[in-house]
Amino acid sequence: MEYMAEENAAESVKTSADSGSTADLIGRMELLVRENNEAVRRIGRVDHVTLLPNRVQFLDDFARHSAACERPHLVLVALAEARHFNEILRALGHSYSEDFVREGAARLLGLLPAGSPVYHVSVLSFAFFAEGGTTAEPPPVVADIVTRFQEPIRCHGIPINSRIGVGVTPLDDTAAAANEMLRSALAAAQDSRRGFDGWAWYDRTSDDAHKRSFRILAKLPEALAAADRLALHFQPRIAMQRGNCIGAEALIRWTDAELGVVSPAEFVPLAETTALITPLTGWVIRHATRAVAGWQKTHPGLRISINISPKNLEEPEFVDSMLWQTEAAGVDPALVELEFTEGTLASNPRLMLQQLGRLRSRGFDIAIDDFGSGYSNMSYLGQLPAQYLKIDQSFVRTLDSDGKNRVLVRSIIDLAHALDYRVVAEGVETQSAYDTLAGWGCDEGQGYLMSRPLPEPAFLDWLHAGWRRKI
Ligand code: C2E
Ligand code: MG
Ligand code: MG
């Protein structure tokens, strides 16, 4: 098509050159370029599925429309959640999914006054300006949209629950730039799915949390590249019956000049949603294996535990890179334990089991971390090639005060032993918790009673000082 258009253009230019003056020719060429530009400009401003004006057009029209409305609000309607839409796409294909979006757009248009512009701002989202709201009440059309979209969207006879999100943000005098308002309305539409009203105002607090997540993710690559922003701390792990230290868990620490101390409980899950989890875990493995190699001179046999994300197991080269890194550090894989949480099997159990089996066959120990904190599916306990089960600290920390947790912890220890696991208690904070756990046959423990996670020099000092269980 494009080639045809070019050929025709060249043909018409040739004809004109044959028959007219140079000025004619230039004039015709300018006209052609202008026409083409206008066509391209128009194409770039229309969504090809619904033929509604798109986000580019929205950004251009924003100032004009928001000034023309009385007490204007920006409303964003997201037709479905991305995951749900992907399921529709997978089950019914692209052309059906596009029909679904067109049906949704048509329903929305039917609820709005004729002629009021609706913008198709992303695959599933539509934005428009609405009048008639106050700072306390959204424009009346919002309630109509929520009610009408409770009915499934019927497409080729198949009813689909749309599960829309509706976000509303007032456009007052201080209204920010168009892009920012659109982002706020989208954040509100996502928030709306957490409640029962079906719509939500833009909420700065929840949005601030999102912005913080964004800043964390934007700054993490810098931290990974710098020499001194990230650090590993080591928390001693104790053999509970004898009371001696047998290894340590490597726990990452990050201090940023602007953000301050950022907890791994905050930034690791965020990194897991992006490709950053690969270099992050790589950084930890590199530093942890170097550390454990150094310890062998003074404390032969001292082991290291490293937390690994399920996302890392999805990397085909992960097992090889683990082997390569331990070899480069001169460490026997038998000194390295890899900790995975219960959720690891959730997404793709077959692949995960296969990868864990490969790691095990190369000599690494495998531990199930935070056992009991997720939605435990007992059936996997019999299948995992793991040797260690770490009871989540939430059970252990409350052992002294919570009778039900005592029953649970004791049962977990018995069950795990019956399945040939060694049991590790996390979060041992008191001597009485230690004694109770040791009395129930718990094999190993970690917790503030013995030591908090420490920078490497302090950990080595702690080792030399020789912590012993008080009897
Ligand atoms: P985790 O792997 O379960 O690590 C144990 C967490 O419990 C650590 O928190 C540790 O400081 C804390 N803890 C240990 N003993 C006690 C105690 O007696 N009382 C209390 N209240 N807490 C105790 P931290 O270092 O903040 O790490 C939180 C989580 O972040 C870790 O939980 C792990 O899931 C993740 N994480 C930390 N470092 C890494 C890492 O290098 N890679 C990955 N993928 N995740 C990491
Ligand atoms: Mg852990
Ligand atoms: Mg844990």
Side-chain angles (χ1 to χ4, degrees), residues 146-205:
V146 171
T147 312
R148 183 73 179 91
F149 274 89
Q150 273 162 1
E151 289 163 41
I153 294 178
R154 199 169 276 279
C155 209
H156 299 285
I158 306 171
I160 303 272
N161 287 324
S162 55
R163 212 171 133 53
I164 55 161
V166 183
V168 187
T169 180
L171 301 174
D172 52 29
D173 295 341
T174 57
N179 242 331
E180 183 53 22
M181 296 314 293
L182 198 57
R183 199 192 59 75
S184 308
L186 178 67
Q190 287 172 345
D191 285 351
S192 75
R193 296 208 175 91
R194 285 196 245 131
F196 289 112
D197 294 339
W199 68 276
W201 289 113
Y202 166 61
D203 172 2
R204 184 163 298 284
T205 349

Side-chain angles (χ1 to χ4, degrees), residues 235 249 252-253 284 307 369-370 393 426-427 429 447-448 453:
Q235 185 174 40
E249 177 171 3
I252 192 165
R253 298 289 178 260
V284 174
N307 292 284
D369 200 2
D370 302 345
Q393 51 166 289
E426 294 191 289
E429 290 186 348
Y448 292 173

Side-chain angles (χ1 to χ4, degrees), residues 382-402:
Q383 306 170 38
L384 273 175
Q387 298 75 57
Y388 291 89
L389 185 146
K390 299 184 80 172
I391 304 177
D392 188 61
Q393 51 166 289
S394 58
F395 297 102
V396 179
R397 276 193 282 127
T398 51
L399 208 58
D400 292 336
S401 56
D402 188 330

